[in-house]
């Protein structure tokens, strides 16, 4: 008879293998057989645990978003530093961003799994942002658009590294001596100075959320 620990371990291995597979290939390109092989189980276990590939994808995204929320926490104090935390989180956890982009492509404008629970989490974040910023009109302190704007400026460099390089006028990776000089100057793998870009995002976020 299988123990509860074995069941939890198998499910955890499947989720870990599926996260890597979905992040790399998306819902359409992911293969159940590869996930099962990486997890060291028969692929029928996937259907036993999750029912379908799409339900497995939903479980992977839900787990990743829960981890994201726990690591990020709610806004408190300086909204600029909150934007900096978002930037740090996505730069350090590229799989999460890829999963969310694949989710957007897969579902488009259709309904999302667990949409109500996810919307409630964002509502709590909007409320926390308003509380952190103190008094002011609802339009400038508690607007969901404010949170969207903070997420947007913080996530864009990780979501579109090619656009970031072009806007900042940086050399393409492997572009010879210029790229080597950038690396020696402290730039990261995408060619930009991470600390400088983060500081710019924090400053912009503070300006965006300043009370009129």
């Amino acid at each position: 008879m299988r123990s509860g620990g074995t069941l939890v371990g198998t499910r955890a291995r499947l989720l870990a293998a599926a996260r890597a597979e979905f992040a790399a290939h998306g819902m359409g390109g992911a293969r159940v057989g590869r996930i099962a092989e990486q997890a060291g189980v028969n692929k029928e276990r996937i259907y036993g645990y999750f029912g379908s590939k799409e339900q497995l994808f939903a479980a992977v995204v839900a787990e990743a978003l829960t981890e994201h929320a726990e690591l990020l926490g709610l806004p408190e104090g300086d909204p600029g530093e909150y934007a900096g935390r978002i930037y740090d989180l996505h730069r350090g956890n590229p799989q999460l961003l890829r999963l969310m982009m694949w989710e957007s492509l897969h579902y488009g404008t259709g309904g999302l799994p667990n949409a109500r629970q996810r919307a409630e989490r964002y509502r709590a974040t909007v409320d926390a942002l308003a509380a952190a910023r103190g008094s002011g009109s609802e339009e400038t302190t508690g607007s969901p658009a404010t949170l969207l704007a903070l997420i947007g400026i913080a996530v864009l460099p990780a979501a579109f590294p090619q656009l970031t390089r072009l806007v900042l006028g940086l050399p393409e990776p492997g572009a010879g001596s210029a790229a080597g000089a950038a690396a020696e100057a402290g730039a990261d793998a995408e060619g930009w100075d991470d600390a400088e870009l983060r500081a710019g995002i924090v400053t912009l976020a503070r300006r965006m959320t300043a009370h009129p």
Side-chain angles (χ1 to χ4, degrees):
M1 181 177 179
R2 294 174 297 177
S3 67
T6 300
L7 292 173
V8 171
T10 301
R11 188 178 189 278
R13 291 200 308 275
L14 283 169
L15 284 170
R19 183 181 298 198
E21 177 75 7
F22 284 127
H25 304 289
M27 174 61 193
R31 295 292 177 264
V32 170
R34 286 198 297 255
I35 295 170
E37 182 179 0
Q38 288 298 315
V41 301
N42 187 291
K43 69 178 183 180
E44 295 305 317
R45 287 285 190 91
I46 292 176
Y47 301 108
Y49 279 105
F50 301 100
S52 68
K53 186 172 82 167
E54 185 159 2
Q55 287 175 313
L56 173 59
F57 180 62
V60 165
V61 172
E63 181 187 60
L65 288 173
T66 296
E67 291 177 7
H68 169 279
E70 291 173 352
L71 288 169
L72 181 63
L74 292 172
E76 54 183 33
D78 180 6
E81 278 306 317
Y82 180 69
R85 282 157 48 197
I86 297 172
Y87 174 82
D88 293 339
L89 183 61
H90 283 286
R91 292 282 283 143
N93 299 271
Q95 272 191 344
L96 171 63
L97 188 55
R98 286 197 292 268
L99 286 169
M100 295 188 72
M101 294 174 78
W102 282 121
E103 181 188 54
S104 177
L105 289 170
H106 179 65
Y107 290 105
T109 58
L112 290 171
N114 304 314
R116 179 179 298 179
Q117 294 92 324
R118 290 166 66 172
E120 288 173 354
R121 180 178 290 167
Y122 283 117
R123 182 68 244 179
T125 304
V126 169
D127 291 344
L129 180 61
R133 298 185 62 229
S135 60
S137 69
E138 173 69 14
E139 181 180 354
T140 58
T141 61
S143 169
T146 303
L147 178 60
L148 276 176
L150 292 179
I151 293 172
I153 63 172
V155 167
L156 189 144
F160 301 102
Q162 79 283 23
L163 177 60
T164 303
R165 289 195 303 270
L166 293 170
V167 170
L168 297 181
L170 298 169
E172 288 297 292
S177 59
E184 290 177 4
D188 71 2
E190 280 82 15
W192 64 74
D193 185 302
D194 190 67
E196 184 177 356
L197 183 55
R198 184 191 191 279
I201 287 170
V202 169
T203 299
L204 178 58
R206 286 172 180 157
R207 292 173 180 169
M208 288 169 50
T209 56
H211 291 303

